[in-house]
Amino acid sequence: MNASAIPSERLAALHRSESERFIATHPRSMAQAEAARAHYLFGVPLHWMRDWPGPATLAVERAQGAALFCADGLRYSDFCLGDSGALFGHSPEPLAQAIAQQAERGLTCMLPSTHALAVGEALQRVFGLPVWQLALSASDANRFMLRWARAATGRPQVLVFDGCYHGAVDDTLVDLDPASGTTVRRPSVLGQVHNHHAFTRVVPFNDLAALEAALSRGDVACLLAEPALTNFGLVPPNRGFWPVARELCRRRGTLFVVDETHTLSTALGGYARAHELNPDALVVGKAVAGGLPCAVYGVTAELAQRMARAKDSAPEGHSGIGTTLSGNPLTLAALEAALTHLHTEANYAHMLAIAALLQDGLLKRLHAAHRPWTVTRLGARLELQFMPRTPRQAQDVREHAQGALESFTHLFMLNRGVLLTPFHCMMLASPATTPADVERLLSVFDELLTALAT
């Protein structure tokens, strides 16, 4: 049965029923949401938080391992994990201990702490690149890396893929007009006054001909890319795509910058290391320090020399790169603990096995229910996609979007103690995720399929 065969009226009625169920079972979350309107824009500390489905945003009392506990005393198997921020689970003991110990020794001083050397050595060991800098978020790290790339190359343009996500980086908040093939302003971006679309080119993912054409003018400082699109539905690369793309960048003198913030789920060291992409620069945020606000960016020795020359040849003053709290002692302590105890082969072996178990269970159920949907997996990250095949470009996702069905799926599962990522049907497996968590999700998914069939 095709998903489109579910009548919209039927789906709307199901959603109303789930909304009523949420209201009845979450009185404290409902009350907090109402009271918070007096203090926060849209009633939440970050306006994205209202994008969760349901009549109100869930009020979390605590998060531990792969579980959340809300204000109403309900437990949730968490497959969102802070949209990757808690990829290694919520508050792992080594991380919590390191943060607590450092909190007594100082939080920030704009000087390198005694953890700095060990962190630098661990970053090289885990990710492979020799020279590093720290930031507070991947948005910052990507923003800073674009400045370094333009400064090091003397080129004005950057190149991204249609449907990419690199955080709140103005240069990347642009769209591809499919009719003309040109870069245009993204209409949803607020307060936009700068002409970023004149300095950023956008091409379809997995399209080598379009990539080569965009690089052909010789004015692109860098290609900033996720190894797989992750925030526009999970879109993996075609076989052989990255080796050719990497060579095209080299041939045109364009730096290849990989944003592993979400694809860190692939394997220890991320997708780039597992697949030998050999980028000129690498950005990792969110989960790199176990969920504490932190991001890192690393570069090759050759690029580091070019960056140093650019800085040394510039006048004294603010480079536009860096923030006061970057590299603070608390972050370094957390990062050392995370790189030592969380980024391990044993953790990834467990995460990947759990994700494979979940993928197999979902696919078997879809086949039995004759639903033409698919499940795409990248390491410990997988996504239920309401389309007949794994997408290859962002346009595939646009053409098969099932917004109402996605929203209903999220709320249905939340009401039964399973949390998915709110912006799409993404699921993550952490070292703390158990086969029992998988069984819980699959049991609720059985209920979902039954509800949609009646």
Side-chain angles (χ1 to χ4, degrees):
M1 179 178 174
N2 193 305
S4 62
I6 302 172
S8 59
E9 298 83 359
R10 169 66 177 155
L11 203 53
L14 287 169
H15 199 114
R16 285 194 298 272
S17 177
E18 291 302 318
S19 294
E20 292 168 0
R21 177 170 176 157
F22 182 95
I23 292 169
T25 55
H26 296 81
R28 291 182 180 175
S29 284
M30 292 295 297
Q32 175 171 311
E34 181 60 32
R37 292 181 181 277
H39 309 290
Y40 296 105
L41 182 66
F42 302 115
V44 285
L46 169 64
H47 73 89
W48 295 359
M49 293 176 179
R50 68 175 185 153
D51 290 342
W52 288 88
T57 305
L58 197 70
V60 176
E61 188 272 327
R62 63 189 172 96
Q64 190 68 51
L68 294 181
F69 300 85
C70 75
D72 292 285
L74 304 175
R75 182 190 183 279
Y76 302 83
S77 291
D78 185 8
F79 287 89
C80 171
L81 297 171
D83 193 20
S84 297
L87 173 66
F88 299 108
H90 296 288
S91 294
E93 185 176 353
L95 183 72
Q97 289 179 352
I99 292 173
Q101 290 169 4
Q102 185 60 46
E104 296 180 346
R105 301 171 60 187
L107 303 179
T108 187
C109 51
M110 211 174 73
L111 288 167
S113 83
T114 52
H115 294 282
L117 183 57
V119 167
E121 292 170 348
L123 286 169
Q124 182 172 1
R125 170 175 51 81
V126 172
F127 297 109
L129 289 166
V131 182
W132 293 86
Q133 289 282 271
L134 269 68
L136 287 177
S137 70
S139 293
D140 277 350
N142 281 319
R143 189 180 297 114
F144 300 157
M145 199 59 242
L146 292 185
R147 283 193 179 273
W148 281 121
R150 282 169 164 149
T153 63
R155 296 178 173 186
Q157 294 286 332
V158 297
L159 181 61
V160 297
F161 288 111
D162 183 31
C164 70
Y165 182 70
H166 302 291
V169 181
D170 285 354
D171 304 75
T172 68
L173 297 177
V174 291
D175 286 329
L176 176 67
D177 178 4
S180 64
T182 59
T183 306
V184 296
R185 294 178 185 270
R186 181 173 297 176
S188 63
V189 176
L190 300 175
Q192 182 67 281
V193 295
H194 299 292
N195 193 18
H196 292 290
H197 56 283
F199 297 96
T200 303
R201 292 184 193 141
V202 185
V203 297
F205 193 57
N206 281 320
D207 189 333
L208 288 170
L211 177 63
E212 184 171 21
L215 295 171
S216 64
R217 302 178 207 172
D219 59 351
V220 176
C222 72
L223 167 64
L224 174 60
E226 302 170 277
L229 298 185
T230 60
N231 215 56
F232 207 86
L234 183 53
V235 183
N238 290 336
R239 185 181 298 275
F241 173 75
W242 280 121
V244 178
R246 179 70 179 96
E247 181 55 33
L248 288 173
C249 288
R250 283 182 175 150
R251 192 183 308 161
R252 295 295 182 178
T254 295
L255 298 173
F256 178 36
V257 182
V258 171
D259 182 354
E260 289 266 26
T261 297
H262 283 164
T263 56
L264 185 62
S265 63
T266 306
L268 179 62
Y271 187 103
R273 191 155 203 195
H275 293 271
E276 299 181 341
L277 299 191
N278 299 316
D280 297 296
L282 183 76
V283 171
V284 191
K286 287 192 181 179
V288 70
L292 196 75
C294 174
V296 298
Y297 58 105
V299 299
T300 62
E302 190 274 336
L303 178 53
Q305 292 175 357
R306 296 173 70 181
M307 291 160 64
R309 285 197 298 269
K311 179 70 176 82
D312 291 342
S313 62
E316 288 294 323
H318 199 315
S319 62
I321 298 170
T323 56
T324 303
L325 296 180
S326 298
N328 65 74
L330 184 65
T331 296
L332 283 166
L335 189 53
E336 182 180 5
L339 292 168
T340 302
H341 300 288
L342 305 184
H343 296 256
T344 66
E345 290 284 6
N347 274 347
Y348 273 94
H350 176 86
M351 294 155 64
L352 269 59
I354 289 291
L357 182 67
L358 178 54
Q359 179 186 33
D360 183 62
L362 290 170
L363 288 174
K364 284 180 178 177
R365 283 159 173 79
L366 291 179
H367 178 74
H370 304 290
R371 291 286 177 182
W373 306 334
T374 192
V375 178
T376 302
R377 182 165 76 90
L378 190 70
R381 182 186 189 98
L382 62 157
E383 184 160 344
L384 170 66
Q385 296 168 306
F386 298 113
M387 57 188 72
R389 61 177 175 81
T390 293
R392 290 302 171 189
Q393 296 179 345
Q395 191 60 29
D396 293 339
V397 180
R398 294 187 185 101
E399 290 173 358
H400 291 89
Q402 298 276 348
L405 184 54
E406 282 192 14
S407 180
F408 170 72
T409 298
H410 280 88
L411 183 55
F412 186 97
M413 301 195 83
L414 184 150
N415 273 337
R416 289 155 185 81
V418 175
L419 218 65
L420 308 183
T421 303
F423 311 114
H424 38 108
C425 290
M426 188 271 287
M427 293 152 272
L428 281 168
S430 78
T433 307
T434 66
D437 292 315
V438 171
E439 284 304 313
R440 186 179 192 185
L441 187 153
L442 293 175
S443 176
V444 174
F445 191 63
D446 285 334
E447 293 183 48
L448 173 75
L449 291 172
T450 298
L452 291 173
T454 56

